């Protein structure tokens, strides 16, 4: 057998008998992996005269890029908006547990909190690669506190803030640091928000519009200043109105700067968004749809009382409410459940459903050259799924980090 030693000593793994999601299509090809990256087999054969060291039969599974969850507040009893001494062990637990739901990278999300919580929690979140220890951390998503009182949803009103004269300095003082921050959700109708959007964008931080009563022109202005995302479309914003469609109107706006795409998050759990609304959004702007779980500490736990930051929430089936009210507060749906529900509700292709949880969030964060695809040289973070889109195995950097236990089935 010809040797590949001239290029690398690392073993080459060939995944056979599978359908790979590449270029928006499921293609019957083998997947080649070396040193945590997707390998181009032609270069291997013709340039290196190399071949596989290990072959794995995937038994006709679908292989798709790992899911990326850009809005997850916690899960399995862990609440990212609670400052605790063992915060690190909490985030480690969630990152490990979500592997079974196909999530290979995520943005731990903090809801509106007092400055003391941000100052304590944010230094404990660090960007890191995924592996056997759990899904990779891409940076924090700070949802609030610069949001609208009228559309606060499950966010505590006494912690909401506005931008004063030194708007960006206000934000810095509130959060304490932006070192590990990837996304900030704010209400674009707030005075001085555009200068904050410009400053955040300049630092490579994605600005999302949400928890807002903005009209369409305010939303368009925010996008012109650099905003690229909408936090959980339809939820916590003005409902669509034909004379002023509000933030929802961004999906078909003709005022988006050339070459810019607006993305929007959707909680496809069957509770937060009626299937008809999901279909409307998807048909209006399919390339911008990003599936998010908006999961809270109660995800993966029995019904009952749990927390979301400063609030107590009650879980009843798939419904989560602020205790004693009918105000929805996050979700307990897992990402693989959201992908299946989205596909069922919209009737879209398997490829489209999978890309809404992988390619689109990667494009939103500007990391699609290494995550969210199975293109050559990208990170070998991928899933094996069956035809019903149930996750059978999760791989990070080409290593199996979770597999469905079929012994008891």
């Amino acid at each position: 057998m010809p040797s590949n030693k001239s290029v690398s000593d690392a073993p080459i793994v060939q995944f056979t008998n599978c359908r790979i999601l590449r270029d928006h299509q499921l293609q019957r090809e083998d997947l080649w992996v070396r040193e945590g990256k997707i390998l181009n087999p032609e270069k291997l054969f013709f340039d290196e005269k190399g071949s596989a060291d290990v072959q794995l039969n995937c038994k006709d599974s679908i292989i798709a890029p790992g899911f990326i969850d850009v809005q997850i507040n916690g899960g399995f009893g862990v609440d990212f908006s609670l400052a605790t001494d063992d915060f690190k062990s909490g985030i480690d637990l969630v990152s490990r547990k979500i592997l079974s739901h196909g999530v290979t990278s995520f943005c731990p999300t903090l809801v509106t909190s007092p400055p003391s919580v941000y100052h304590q929690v944010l230094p404990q979140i660090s960007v890191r690669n995924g592996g056997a220890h759990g899904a990779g951390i891409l940076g924090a998503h700070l949802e609030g506190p610069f949001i609208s009182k009228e559309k606060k949803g499950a966010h505590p009103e006494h912690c909401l803030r506005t931008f004063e004269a030194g708007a960006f300095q206000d934000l810095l003082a509130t959060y304490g640091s932006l070192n590990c921050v990837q996304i900030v959700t704010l209400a674009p109708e707030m005075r001085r928000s555009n200068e904050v959007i410009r400053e955040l964008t300049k630092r490579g931080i994605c600005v999302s519009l949400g928890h807002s009563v903005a009209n369409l022109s305010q939303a368009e202005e925010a996008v012109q200043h650099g905003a690229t995302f909408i936090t959980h479309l339809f939820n916590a914003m003005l409902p669509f109105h034909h004379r002023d469609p509000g933030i929802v109107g961004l999906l078909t706006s003709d005022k988006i700067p050339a070459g810019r795409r607006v993305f929007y998050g959707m909680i496809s759990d069957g509770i937060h968004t009626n299937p008809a609304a999901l279909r409307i959004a998807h048909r209006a702007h399919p390339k911008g749809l990003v599936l998010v779980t908006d999961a809270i500490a109660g995800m993966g736990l029995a019904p009952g009382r749990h927390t979301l930051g400063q609030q107590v929430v009650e879980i009843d089936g798939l419904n989560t409410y602020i205790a004693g009210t009918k105000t929805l507060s996050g979700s307990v749906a897992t990402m693989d459940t959201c992908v299946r529900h989205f596909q069922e509700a919209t009737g879209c292709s398997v490829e489209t459903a999978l890309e809404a949880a992988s390619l689109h969030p990667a494009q939103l964060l500007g990391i699609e050259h290494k995550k969210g695809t199975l293109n050559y040289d990208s990170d070998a973070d991928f899933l094996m799924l069956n035809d019903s889109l149930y996750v059978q195995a999760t791989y990070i950097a080409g290593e199996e980090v979770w597999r469905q236990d079929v012994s008891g089935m």
Side-chain angles (χ1 to χ4, degrees), residues 283-297:
R283 289 174 194 176
H285 184 26
K287 287 188 162 53
L289 195 148
V290 173
L291 292 176
V292 298
T293 59
D294 198 21
I296 61 168

Side-chain angles (χ1 to χ4, degrees), residues 181-330:
V181 175
Q182 182 72 260
I183 304 173
V184 171
T185 293
L186 51 76
E189 72 276 12
M190 295 179 90
R191 285 178 59 215
R192 305 186 184 88
S193 65
N194 285 331
E195 61 184 271
V196 172
I197 293 170
R198 280 198 306 274
E199 283 297 324
L200 287 169
T201 306
K202 211 186 284 179
R203 285 164 169 77
I205 294 170
C206 163
V207 176
S208 189
L209 312 179
H211 288 277
S212 162
V213 290
N215 59 33
L216 179 56
S217 65
Q218 288 168 325
E220 288 170 334
E221 208 179 324
V223 170
Q224 285 150 13
H225 283 96
T228 52
F229 195 38
I230 303 169
T231 295
H232 46 50
L233 186 78
F234 297 125
N235 288 282
M237 60 189 62
L238 291 178
F240 178 89
H241 189 280
H242 55 284
R243 277 194 288 278
D244 190 338
I247 289 177
V248 178
L250 287 175
L251 270 59
T252 55
S253 168
D254 56 2
K255 304 276 193 310
I256 308 298
R260 177 91 55 78
R261 186 187 302 179
V262 173
F263 293 89
Y264 58 97
M266 298 230 56
I267 310 167
S268 168
D269 62 353
I271 304 288
H272 278 77
T273 315
N274 185 285
L278 202 51
R279 288 191 287 274
I280 287 170
H282 177 244
R283 289 174 194 176
H285 184 26
K287 287 188 162 53
L289 195 148
V290 173
L291 292 176
V292 298
T293 59
D294 198 21
I296 61 168
M299 175 179 72
L301 300 181
R305 290 197 161 209
H306 302 282
T307 64
L308 177 58
Q310 311 297 303
Q311 311 267 42
V312 175
V313 298
E314 287 178 334
I315 298 177
D316 176 12
L318 276 178
N319 293 288
T320 60
Y321 302 113
I322 291 180
T325 75
K326 286 295 177 193
T327 301
L328 282 176
S329 54

